[in-house]
Amino acid sequence: MSRRIKRTNQEPRSRDERREARPFRAKSPHKAGPRPGGKSVSKPGSKPGAKPQRFAGERAERRAPVEAPPKPVEALLPTKVQTVTVTADENNMRVDRFLEARFPGLSFSHIQRVVRKGELRVDGKRVDSKDRLEEGQSVRIPPLKLDTPKAAGPLSEAAQKTLAALKEMTIYEDDDVLVLNKPAGLAVQGGSGITRNVDQMLEVMRDAKGQKPRLVHRIDRETSGCLLIAKTRFAASHLTGAFRSRSARKVYWALVPGLPKPRQGRISTFLAKEESEDDTIMRIAQHGDEGAIHAVTYYAVVETAGSKLTWVSLKPVTGRTHQLRAHMAHIGHPIVGDPKYFNIENWQLPGGLQNRLHLLARRIVIPHPRGGVIDASAPLPPHMQQSWNLLGLDATRFDPIENAPEE
């Protein structure tokens, strides 16, 4: 070792010697890491707080680095009762999404259980998993059981197939947003008797931080077409806000019996959920009825196939469960193939048409979280394309719903 390096631990005898020795002094811990509010200035490949590269080589000659033995991975990671404050970034988040974001390893069933049992409290009160949080609120989180985060590695064969299926459905994608063309028959979320759904499939797209893309809205299981997904928490907040403020515009195509009159109109009713042992439907309700919510839909006739069937375009202003299906049945033109709301007695399906729901989430137009507009369209699904071909309907015709009001 040279004489000059040996003298670095001694007090320099002159100002020149002190200046020469200065580059070899270890930096204090608070200077080694990233600057507050900025990016790390470390070179690529270096660790935060590492000493200059030329000194690292000399240090290695004197002492070989000793790596700490890896800690055993536990199957479950229990947490203690804790109280956290909702941040500005988490403002207006649903309770279940809040827990999912804070604890990526937490299972959906466990989230629902702690909320249902009242173990989680917001400002000391019980909440529902769909309730939205406000910045500054205090959230009491009970002991949780977290699944151990899986180390990043190659996807399994099943996961690769799922990822390929999602890519095949994709009609728009960027760093923040994903728009899928969901096929009819694929559920958006899990439920009784559902073994495969979009929310579950998105697990294969979890990033290194454990965050997976989030559903922004839902469409019925048998409805095909545009489904909007947020790939980041930033995008999720902005896109859900656009739906709440009704800045998002959705257009649906449907096939209905008969010819609606007038050819363009507005349907405004109250809807209420009616549950039975076997099924759940939305019924037309009166203002003031328990659970009644207002729903508005614009419709327009695009083309007719004789007098028996009509292609209509629909623009929902509100986004209620089964809104379009209940509204079209209400005006006497239920959607062809609808097992819940088609109520015309002795009506015969024309030969060659499949008895499946003829409803397509055709188009979605919504402000992009970072500026501009997302405008995505989905093609007719195979069973509807078959019907259009048999009936001689032209899918390229002008859609008059474009002229319907936005409110």
Side-chain angles (χ1 to χ4, degrees):
M1 188 172 292
S2 69
R3 182 179 178 185
R4 179 169 63 85
I5 293 177
K6 286 183 178 180
R7 291 180 55 189
T8 57
N9 292 327
Q10 301 174 2
E11 179 65 20
R13 300 176 186 175
S14 67
R15 181 168 52 190
D16 291 339
E17 290 175 328
R18 185 178 299 111
R19 186 181 298 114
E20 183 182 9
R22 188 174 301 146
F24 295 93
R25 289 179 179 171
K27 295 182 179 180
S28 60
H30 72 277
K31 292 181 180 179
R35 296 175 179 174
K39 297 181 179 179
S40 172
V41 294
S42 301
K43 294 181 180 179
S46 64
K47 296 180 180 180
K51 297 186 179 182
Q53 194 67 30
R54 56 177 176 172
F55 186 69
E58 294 169 352
R59 181 182 62 182
E61 294 178 3
R62 294 178 299 192
R63 184 178 56 141
V66 178
E67 296 184 359
K71 295 181 179 180
V73 179
E74 299 178 357
L76 295 173
L77 303 175
T79 65
K80 299 179 181 179
V81 173
Q82 56 183 301
T83 301
V84 299
T85 302
V86 179
T87 65
D89 188 46
E90 295 164 333
N91 183 53
N92 210 36
M93 245 187 180
R94 281 174 36 157
V95 171
D96 52 1
R97 303 297 185 210
F98 171 83
L99 285 175
E100 184 185 51
R102 288 265 184 161
F103 307 99
L106 199 60
S107 67
F108 174 80
S109 59
H110 193 31
I111 290 175
Q112 299 300 315
R113 185 165 59 253
V114 298
V115 174
R116 185 176 64 252
K117 290 184 176 181
E119 296 174 0
L120 181 140
R121 301 273 176 149
V122 177
D123 289 342
K125 299 178 182 178
R126 294 175 67 117
V127 292
D128 187 82
S129 60
K130 295 181 181 180
D131 289 343
R132 297 190 178 273
L133 299 170
E134 297 180 4
E135 180 184 355
Q137 285 185 318
S138 177
V139 182
R140 177 197 181 274
I141 299 174
L144 304 173
K145 295 290 184 181
L146 306 180
D147 295 338
T148 304
K150 297 180 180 179
L155 293 174
S156 65
E157 184 178 350
Q160 290 178 11
K161 290 182 179 179
T162 298
L163 187 59
L166 288 170
K167 294 299 181 185
E168 188 176 351
M169 294 181 210
T170 301
I171 52 181
Y172 175 86
E173 183 176 16
D174 59 32
D175 292 340
D176 294 290
V177 181
L178 179 67
V179 182
L180 300 179
N181 177 21
K182 186 194 79 66
L186 177 61
V188 173
Q189 287 181 301
S192 177
I194 295 176
T195 57
R196 188 168 182 259
N197 59 79
V198 174
D199 193 38
Q200 178 191 54
M201 294 173 70
L202 292 172
E203 287 287 344
V204 301
M205 296 182 66
R206 275 193 187 274
D207 60 22
K209 296 181 180 178
Q211 298 296 311
K212 76 169 187 178
R214 300 165 172 81
L215 298 168
V216 177
H217 68 124
R218 295 183 299 172
I219 56 179
D220 295 339
R221 181 176 182 175
E222 295 303 324
T223 302
S224 64
C226 295
L227 181 66
L228 189 64
I229 310 291
K231 295 173 66 177
T232 62
R233 189 182 303 173
F234 169 80
S237 176
H238 282 72
L239 294 173
T240 53
F243 273 93
R244 285 194 303 275
S245 64
R246 297 181 183 173
S247 301
R249 181 158 57 94
K250 295 181 290 181
V251 173
Y252 289 74
W253 285 357
L255 188 68
V256 301
L259 176 62
K261 293 182 180 179
R263 295 175 69 94
Q264 298 182 21
R266 178 178 184 268
I267 308 170
S268 175
T269 71
F270 285 86
L271 296 175
K273 185 177 294 185
E274 189 173 273
E275 295 181 308
S276 64
E277 293 182 1
D278 302 324
D279 206 357
T280 299
I281 64 169
M282 300 298 289
R283 63 174 177 84
I284 302 300
Q286 300 297 319
H287 179 56
D289 287 356
E290 183 178 358
I293 48 179
H294 191 221
V296 176
T297 301
Y298 286 95
Y299 74 88
V301 171
V302 183
E303 192 175 7
T304 62
S307 59
K308 190 164 187 179
L309 291 166
T310 300
W311 163 20
V312 295
S313 186
L314 306 165
K315 180 188 287 185
V317 176
T318 53
R320 314 307 184 195
T321 301
H322 297 174
Q323 176 178 318
L324 302 180
R325 298 162 64 181
H327 270 176
M328 293 310 295
H330 173 62
I331 65 171
H333 301 278
I335 299 172
V336 170
D338 192 335
K340 290 179 180 285
Y341 298 92
F342 198 95
N343 52 10
I344 301 178
E345 294 184 5
N346 302 320
W347 191 86
Q348 299 261 331
L349 187 71
L353 273 64
Q354 297 183 47
N355 190 23
R356 301 182 63 184
L357 182 67
H358 282 57
L359 180 62
L360 166 69
R362 166 64 178 175
R363 184 180 177 195
I364 186 164
V365 182
I366 189 170
H368 194 285
R370 300 190 188 276
V373 174
I374 301 166
D375 189 349
S377 296
L380 289 166
H383 71 282
M384 289 181 68
Q385 184 64 66
Q386 179 184 17
S387 298
W388 258 237
N389 292 341
L390 290 170
L391 297 172
L393 301 175
D394 181 6
T396 64
R397 287 181 64 95
F398 171 71
D399 188 349
I401 204 70
E402 294 286 341
N403 299 323
E406 297 297 328
E407 53 78 27

